[in-house]
């Protein structure tokens, strides 16, 4: 008889433990490297900044850390304008975008095979936030070639942003380049 009385308590406790374990597994979700890419020295005049080094191996990823309402990332700077350091037109709409437009490229896993194309994300950093449109992929699977400006593959946790994003976050221009942020999808 006592076994039956204690059953609901034991059952609830087991359910609670299973939920906690499940949450910890999601939180600890990992994105492991998918391979290595061997760098090649760019032809003269083909790369100005962050260029691949000859024979150096670069880690590649097909995934990114799990997305949450508070996804940690590194904010980098990019120009999506014609003639800018972003290379060709944006992958989502085949257009160039002004440096005054709040737009971003996401690492391959977060870009999610174009599923975030032309959708907005909210970026939080420097005590402020800004909405930005996803227009491109920061390729975490390939690099060190002409298509990628002879730059290494993107790390798997990058939000590559236009100058407008950095301005909206109130970051002094001399501090632009790399910053810890968090982001989330918006409605």
């Amino acid at each position: 008889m006592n076994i039956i009385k204690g059953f609901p308590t034991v059952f609830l406790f087991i359910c609670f433990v299973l939920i906690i374990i499940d949450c910890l597994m999601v939180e600890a979700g990992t994105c492991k490297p998918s391979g290595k890419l061997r760098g090649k020295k760019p032809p003269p005049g083909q790369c100005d900044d962050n260029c691949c080094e000859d024979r150096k191996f670069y880690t590649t990823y097909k995934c990114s850390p799990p997305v949450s309402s508070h996804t940690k990332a590194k904010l980098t700077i990019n120009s999506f304008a014609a003639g800018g350091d972003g290379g060709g037109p944006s992958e989502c709409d085949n257009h160039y975008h002004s440096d005054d437009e709040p737009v971003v490229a996401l690492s391959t896993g977060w870009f999610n095979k174009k599923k975030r194309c032309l959708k907005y994300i909210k970026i939080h950093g420097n005590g402020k936030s800004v909405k930005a449109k996803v227009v491109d992929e920061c390729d975490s699977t390939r690099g060190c070639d002409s298509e990628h400006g002879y730059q290494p593959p993107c790390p798997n946790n990058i939000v590559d942003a236009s100058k407008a994003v950095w301005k909206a976050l109130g970051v002094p221009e001399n501090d632009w380049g790399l910053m810890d942020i968090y982001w989330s999808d918006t409605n």
Side-chain angles (χ1 to χ4, degrees):
M1 204 64 162
N2 282 342
I3 293 173
I4 293 172
K5 282 185 177 178
F7 179 75
T9 305
V10 171
F11 179 75
L12 288 173
F13 178 74
I14 290 171
C15 287
F16 176 75
V17 169
L18 291 174
I19 290 169
I20 296 298
I21 290 170
D22 185 54
C23 289
L24 290 173
M25 288 175 67
V26 168
E27 186 67 29
T30 59
C31 170
K32 295 186 175 151
S34 57
K36 295 275 186 186
L37 183 142
R38 187 175 180 177
K40 297 177 250 174
K41 186 177 180 181
Q46 296 293 308
C47 184
D48 299 327
D49 188 33
N50 190 29
C51 305
C52 290
E53 295 177 32
D54 199 30
R55 300 175 191 250
K56 179 177 178 180
F57 284 93
Y58 297 93
T59 303
T60 60
Y61 294 89
K62 292 180 182 175
C63 57
S64 291
V67 174
S68 68
S69 60
H70 196 88
T71 308
K72 291 182 181 180
K74 299 286 185 184
L75 189 71
T76 56
I77 190 162
N78 189 19
S79 175
F80 298 85
D85 54 0
S90 296
E91 191 169 339
C92 292
D93 59 7
N94 203 34
H95 288 94
Y96 291 100
H97 296 270
S98 164
D99 289 334
D100 297 324
E101 186 181 350
V103 293
V104 297
L106 297 177
S107 292
T108 296
W110 290 336
F111 189 65
N112 197 14
K113 299 178 182 155
K114 295 189 176 183
K115 288 187 176 115
R116 284 197 169 83
C117 269
L118 306 179
K119 294 183 179 176
Y120 285 84
I121 64 169
K122 191 165 195 176
I123 301 167
H124 302 269
N126 197 41
K128 297 186 178 187
S129 65
V130 60
K131 276 176 68 172
K133 184 171 28 172
V134 177
V135 298
D136 212 346
E137 174 183 14
C138 193
D139 199 337
S140 304
T141 63
R142 299 178 306 143
C144 299
D145 56 15
S146 60
E147 182 184 348
H148 297 90
Y150 295 97
Q151 294 183 342
C154 238
N156 67 345
N157 63 342
I158 296 296
V159 175
D160 203 19
S162 64
K163 291 178 181 180
V165 170
W166 287 85
K167 284 179 187 175
L169 292 174
V171 179
E173 197 168 333
N174 60 337
D175 292 335
W176 290 1
L178 184 66
M179 182 171 79
D180 290 330
I181 54 121
Y182 69 90
W183 69 274
S184 59
D185 290 309
T186 64
N187 298 333

